[in-house]
Amino acid sequence: MSVATELPALTADEAAHSRALQAQIVQEIARAGGWMSFARFMQLALYAPGLGYYSAGARKFGAAGDFVTAPEVAPVFSRCVAVQCADVLSQLGERAVLLELGAGSGAMAAALLAELERRGTLPAECWILDVSADLRERQHEVLATAVPQLLPRVRWLDALPDAFDGVVVANEVLDALVVERFVVRDQRVRALGVAVDDAGALHWVEREAGPELERAVRAIEVDTGLALPDGYVSEINLGLGAWLEAVTASLRHGVMLFIDYGLPRRELYSLERGRGTLLCHFRHRFHDDALARVGLQDITAWVDFTAVAESAQAAGLDVAGYTTQAHFLIGCGLGEFVANVGELDLVERVNLSRQAMVLTLPGEMGERFKVIALAKGYDAPLRGFAVRDLRHTL
Ligand SMILES: C[S@@+](CC[C@H](N)C(=O)[O-])C[C@H]1O[C@@H](n2cnc3c(N)ncnc32)[C@H](O)[C@@H]1O
């Protein structure tokens, strides 16, 4: 993927911010002997305290930011997710909790709580855990404006909680977890990392892969039945298993719903995707130059949902459903939300229909985004997967 259109110029403040983070990265590369893994680079670019993209004050979400997510463009998305959460919360009883990981602007938490209140299925508490302290303030503001009466039920966590019963939701969080990048050369797996050239600029440099990366890429070849060809580049999340295990340990009974763009492994690591799936967002333009505009742009990679399912099973979870976002939302009653327009005026009705199209059309978010449900000690059916369950494709 390349730059769709010319990227907007940086303001002086943005340029200074980016230089400061780049200087920190350059120093760390020097200390480490001249090379940094891509996962470490992504960690710093997105989450370095005070300077990383998610840790600093950039606008990020919405029209004035860099990208939009489903809860931002379409509140009906969160209403549908709430329908699924309501079922699970009702089954789990009155002490059940809603935990949102990576809550972004807080738009989804606010809309989820409003819908759960409307249905009489509010959780005992709503917890939010986000690695970004900057976003925490924004989430507080959004919730205080949208659902002030429910604010006393909302708690921001600094770490995963002890065992609880409830629902965990995370929209576009898996794609923000750091990944390693690799390239295949002469049938060997090489790690693609970051170094500094003579002019002080960051650039890609490959070196021999460590044993974990080598093993993971060979496992992909076995699973896909492909010998990845020379020059094949892609990404892999080596930390997914440990991350999911930690989330699993904190849930006693309940369901996790992860929504993200991604594919089953066989499709993700296909020959057509031999340049990888890194995607950077800067003011609504997307491109794959992850080393540019350090700290000012989002960096993401498509999710390997087969890896999510395998890690889930290894952690002791059941994969309770996997489907496209479109089918999930339809299963959760998107059609009824659009049909029951009640008091809405014409403009609001048109707006709602437009939201439904963005969320479900294959060329928009409908097929690119998937939903996976992971259950622990919970076996009631999940309506979001009743229309179409694609677990057999994982
Ligand atoms: C692409 S944004 C999505 C935000 C929001 N869920 C939405 O859909 O608009 C990714 C979010 O995940 C958060 N995040 C990244 N890694 C995380 C982690 N390990 N635990 C919790 N939050 C994380 C980021 O700070 C950010 O809020």
Side-chain angles (χ1 to χ4, degrees), residues 47 54 61 69 71 102-104 129-132 135 171-173 177 243:
Y47 307 111
Y54 281 106
F61 310 96
T69 58
L129 176 60
D130 200 304
V131 285
S132 163
L135 283 173
N171 186 61
E172 290 207 44
V173 176
L177 300 179
W243 184 79

Side-chain angles (χ1 to χ4, degrees), residues 315-392:
L317 298 166
D318 297 319
V319 180
Y322 170 68
T323 193
T324 66
Q325 175 171 295
H327 287 102
F328 177 79
L329 297 178
I330 292 164
C332 290
L334 178 64
E336 287 89 88
F337 280 121
V338 175
N340 294 333
V341 284
E343 310 277 280
L344 299 187
D345 65 26
L346 186 60
V347 174
E348 289 167 328
R349 286 176 196 204
V350 171
N351 202 1
L352 185 57
S353 305
R354 194 176 299 137
Q355 287 179 29
M357 286 198 291
V358 170
L359 292 172
T360 56
L361 285 179
E364 301 267 359
M365 292 177 146
E367 283 189 359
R368 212 165 8 112
F369 281 76
K370 311 291 192 307
V371 186
I372 193 164
L374 309 175
K376 187 168 177 189
Y378 185 94
D379 56 13
L382 298 170
R383 70 168 87 196
F385 305 89
V387 178
R388 192 167 187 215
D389 195 331
L390 295 170
R391 273 178 292 181
H392 62 279

Side-chain angles (χ1 to χ4, degrees), residues 46-47 53-55 60-61 67-72 77 100-108 129-133 135 139 169-178 243 259 261 298 300:
L46 297 183
Y47 307 111
Y53 179 74
Y54 281 106
S55 324
K60 301 181 262 285
F61 310 96
F67 58 88
V68 286
T69 58
E72 298 285 332
F77 169 85
E100 182 174 2
L101 300 175
S105 71
M108 180 153 114
L129 176 60
D130 200 304
V131 285
S132 163
L135 283 173
Q139 290 153 7
V169 291
N171 186 61
E172 290 207 44
V173 176
L174 294 179
D175 71 66
L177 300 179
V178 304
W243 184 79
I259 308 158
Y261 42 88
D298 191 22
T300 68

